[in-house]
Amino acid sequence: MTKKAKKLLPFTMGALFGAMIFIGIFGTKIISTSNIEWIFAAPDDTTQHYLGWMYYRNTPWQFPIGMTEGLSSEGAVCCTYADVIPLFAVFFKLLSPILPETFQYFGLWGIICFALNGGLGAVLLSRIKNNIIFTSIGSLFYSVFFPTITRITHHNALGAIWLIIAAMILTLDYKREYKHRFTPILLWTLVCVLAAVIHPYFIPMVYTIMLGYLILLVFKEKKIAHAAVTFVVSSVTAAASLWILGAFEKNGSMTDNGFTHYSANLNTFFNGCGISKYLSPLTINTGQGEGFGYLGLGMLVCCFLAIVTAVSRIGKKDGSSLKYIASYLKEHKVEISALVVVFLVGFFWATSTKVTLNEHVIFELHLSDFLMKKLSIFRASGRFIWGPCLIVMTTALWIVSKLEFKTAITAVFICAWLQGMDVRSVRNVMRAQYINAEPYEYAVTDEEWETISGGINEVVFLPLPMDYVAKTKLYYDFARPAAYDHIKLSSFIVCRADYATLKSYADEQYSLLSSGKGRTDALYVFFKEEDIPSDVDNIIVYDIGEYKVARVKK
């Protein structure tokens, strides 16, 4: 085996195991780019993402390149806010002329993420113990990462935990001598740009890890200029990537409500939330599913072994244990400080200003409205627990690796087996949903759509309620055929939408319809039957499945 092949072996083995785990949980059907049945069979966020991709694909190329037309009466919106995974959306839009009409990449994205999670997890572990058996078995924890399993077919883009792992690798490589001195700057820039074009939430996650890297460069290596250049170049380039996509366009709002609501509970590392095969769910507050950070039974056992190992090794040192600890802390104070700072920043950002344990509020910090609005740019703060999760996992594996080789490998193998056993319940659910699912029948059939859609160029949803984003099934049922016919929507479920603007437009359209001045080129879809104007004689009302729609007579 060549030196280069040997160097790539940990990544290759980890990626192979990661892909196999994805197939073992979700099967192969969802990988097929022509299979959209699974996307509509259990309508959820992936359905929204796929429809967003369809509208983005239909939009003529323009600048910024990520703008999507037809999803909102606000005008074009950035594809980032439809969660279409811009990295893939832009790439496949370039190939759109040669792609079939029905094309989805979300299953493909899933298996790639699992492979990269496992592959980069193995590379990360090779920085701890460069042994192919250890890195291959240990990589399974990064592949069987519970938050990824629950996200990859839900909030698909958020399955890219490998971005955080890549940042951790670069941080551990802070002493590495590269052939070109700008290589680490370019690598950090690449990771930050990827975070920007995959999902904005990964940007603060990556920068939280980078904080540790900068601390090490400044206080350990005394490379202040290098640290500054790394931060500035990566930040400017990531911001430029968002600008090119159109993330800073003025439609909608950059802030939203929900900070402290979508946080992580202090029990997150131990709470399987009904997904664990063996551990009973613990109580959390509404919205804290966003802070799901369950480590898995196998990793919890590994953490326990790590604690026992650390205590045992300290006890075996000559002299006072306290003196040894003090000496170790003094020798590695910068590294330990960087680790602690990164962990605490991620952990307390995830728990937000309202710290909870089970259903109880332990502590709440009241901030000004200005600060709360700024924090609400990333309102689902619970997601930031994933960085601390990976830090705990990696630290536990590092300590266990200090055992005698055969003992360490046996321990990691048993823990990985327990992790796999713990995932069986969610595996069975996923297999039933994605492998053994019954053929899906669309609520709005093609025949019904042909009956009501002739000559329309917009589907108008009336009147627009405050909770319109909860009416997902209605939106999905009409957006699917509308997207195929390149028909725009008056409103849809996208992030950062300005409800006031959408409602103003809906109210205007409803007023015109109610006064007998409705449009002949619009299909009116009503959220409630009682909202249909009863004293207007120039409209025809249709029953389409469970819905009531109307057209204005020509």
Side-chain angles (χ1 to χ4, degrees):
M1 182 181 294
T2 64
K3 185 177 180 180
K4 185 176 181 180
K6 189 174 181 180
K7 191 175 182 179
L8 291 173
L9 189 58
F11 175 83
T12 304
M13 293 299 296
L16 180 62
F17 286 159
M20 291 171 61
I21 287 169
F22 178 87
I23 293 173
I25 295 174
F26 301 99
T28 58
K29 289 183 179 179
I30 70 172
I31 303 173
S32 171
T33 56
S34 62
N35 176 19
I36 63 171
E37 297 297 319
W38 66 276
I39 293 175
F40 287 93
D44 64 2
D45 290 331
T46 302
T47 317
Q48 172 208 344
H49 305 163
Y50 172 70
L51 292 168
W53 148 245
M54 290 183 69
Y55 273 94
Y56 176 62
R57 182 182 181 183
N58 293 341
T59 301
W61 283 107
Q62 57 187 281
F63 189 86
I65 65 172
M67 301 308 289
T68 306
E69 296 176 351
L71 284 177
S72 170
S73 56
E74 292 182 277
V77 297
C78 179
C79 65
T80 297
Y81 302 127
D83 283 337
V84 300
I85 315 172
L87 176 68
F88 269 33
V90 172
F91 175 76
F92 286 112
K93 184 175 178 176
L94 289 169
L95 301 179
S96 187
I98 63 174
L99 296 178
E101 183 180 34
T102 298
F103 181 88
Q104 65 86 15
Y105 49 73
F106 297 99
L108 179 64
W109 169 257
I111 193 169
I112 289 175
C113 279
F114 268 66
L116 288 175
N117 290 349
L120 291 178
V123 174
L124 177 63
L125 293 179
S126 71
R127 303 304 196 259
I128 294 170
K129 191 178 187 69
N130 194 12
N131 176 274
I132 190 60
I133 299 176
F134 174 76
T135 58
S136 297
I137 299 174
S139 72
L140 298 174
F141 292 103
Y142 300 90
S143 299
V144 188
F145 186 59
F146 279 81
T148 301
I149 294 172
T150 59
R151 292 284 181 172
I152 204 65
T153 56
H154 181 53
H155 286 151
N156 313 81
L158 293 174
I161 305 298
W162 50 270
L163 286 167
I164 308 174
I165 301 173
M168 293 173 69
I169 293 169
L170 291 176
T171 299
L172 291 183
D173 284 350
Y174 74 99
K175 285 186 176 181
R176 181 175 174 179
E177 294 293 333
Y178 293 90
K179 185 176 181 180
H180 302 288
R181 60 176 179 169
F182 294 111
T183 298
I185 298 173
L186 294 176
L187 290 174
W188 272 111
T189 300
L190 175 62
V191 172
C192 293
V193 168
L194 286 172
V197 299
I198 290 174
H199 198 290
Y201 269 81
F202 281 117
I203 298 174
M205 294 184 200
V206 167
Y207 274 93
T208 300
I209 304 298
M210 184 194 285
L211 177 60
Y213 177 78
L214 299 178
I215 290 172
L216 291 168
L217 281 187
V218 172
F219 296 101
K220 187 74 175 180
E221 299 297 298
K222 309 302 181 184
K223 296 180 178 179
I224 299 175
H226 185 86
V229 171
T230 300
F231 178 77
V232 171
V233 171
S234 61
S235 300
V236 170
T237 312
S241 301
L242 290 172
W243 174 69
I244 291 170
L245 285 174
F248 301 127
E249 293 298 299
K250 295 187 180 299
N251 290 339
S253 171
M254 291 300 293
T255 63
D256 207 343
N257 297 321
F259 187 74
T260 73
H261 183 74
Y262 300 108
S263 61
N265 199 288
L266 289 179
N267 65 27
T268 186
F269 293 147
F270 317 99
N271 190 359
C273 292
I275 292 176
S276 169
K277 174 71 174 176
Y278 301 107
L279 299 184
S280 299
L282 301 175
T283 304
I284 58 175
N285 296 309
T286 304
Q288 290 190 320
E290 288 290 347
F292 179 64
Y294 177 55
L295 294 175
L297 179 61
M299 179 45 62
L300 289 175
V301 171
C302 187
C303 289
F304 175 76
L305 290 176
I307 294 171
V308 173
T309 301
V311 172
S312 176
R313 287 174 65 85
I314 292 172
K316 291 180 180 179
K317 297 296 179 180
D318 295 332
S320 170
S321 297
L322 292 178
K323 286 184 178 180
Y324 171 77
I325 295 172
S327 175
Y328 187 88
L329 292 175
K330 183 177 181 180
E331 182 181 356
H332 301 282
K333 62 181 179 181
V334 177
E335 294 93 332
I336 294 172
S337 297
L339 176 67
V340 171
V341 167
V342 169
F343 179 87
L344 292 180
V345 169
F347 187 82
F348 285 112
W349 197 348
T351 56
S352 80
T353 53
K354 182 188 289 186
V355 181
T356 58
L357 176 62
N358 298 335
E359 71 274 22
H360 305 293
V361 176
I362 304 300
F363 173 78
E364 184 170 6
L365 177 64
H366 297 281
L367 300 177
S368 67
D369 290 342
F370 174 80
L371 288 175
M372 289 299 289
K373 284 183 179 180
K374 296 304 179 184
L375 289 171
S376 293
I377 293 175
F378 297 101
R379 65 171 186 164
S381 65
R383 298 171 182 175
F384 298 133
I385 200 64
W386 301 337
C389 283
L390 293 170
I391 290 173
V392 170
M393 287 169 50
T394 307
T395 303
L397 288 167
W398 168 64
I399 295 173
V400 171
S401 74
K402 299 298 182 181
L403 294 169
E404 188 271 330
F405 178 72
K406 290 183 178 180
T407 303
I409 294 299
T410 301
V412 174
F413 177 82
I414 292 172
C415 291
W417 175 77
L418 286 172
Q419 192 84 345
M421 294 295 288
D422 198 27
V423 83
R424 285 190 302 166
S425 290
V426 68
R427 172 184 175 272
N428 292 338
V429 171
M430 298 299 180
R431 290 182 71 85
Q433 184 171 342
Y434 300 116
I435 299 177
N436 305 317
E438 295 293 328
Y440 181 68
E441 295 184 7
Y442 296 107
V444 179
T445 65
D446 293 340
E447 293 77 15
E448 290 174 322
W449 179 253
E450 287 185 15
T451 301
I452 61 175
S453 64
I456 69 170
N457 62 28
E458 183 177 15
V459 179
V460 183
F461 298 93
L462 297 176
L464 195 69
M466 178 69 77
D467 64 341
Y468 77 98
V469 294
K471 314 296 183 181
T472 54
K473 189 176 185 302
L474 179 144
Y475 275 108
Y476 298 161
D477 286 337
F478 285 95
R480 181 192 66 86
Y484 279 114
D485 288 347
H486 296 225
I487 296 170
K488 64 183 179 180
L489 310 174
S490 66
S491 57
F492 191 63
I493 304 162
V494 295
C495 301
R496 314 300 183 187
D498 185 351
Y499 173 72
T501 301
L502 296 177
K503 188 177 186 304
S504 176
Y505 179 80
D507 288 347
E508 177 188 357
Q509 295 297 312
Y510 191 59
S511 177
L512 290 171
L513 181 66
S514 300
S515 62
K517 300 177 182 178
R519 295 159 46 193
T520 58
D521 65 346
L523 173 67
Y524 297 98
V525 178
F526 299 95
F527 291 96
K528 298 178 182 179
E529 183 175 351
E530 55 265 31
D531 291 327
I532 302 174
S534 58
D535 55 350
V536 179
D537 57 7
N538 71 332
I539 65 173
I540 304 173
V541 178
Y542 298 88
D543 289 301
I544 302 298
E546 62 193 88
Y547 307 113
K548 294 283 187 179
V549 304
R551 291 288 307 273
V552 174
K553 298 176 183 178
K554 294 184 179 180

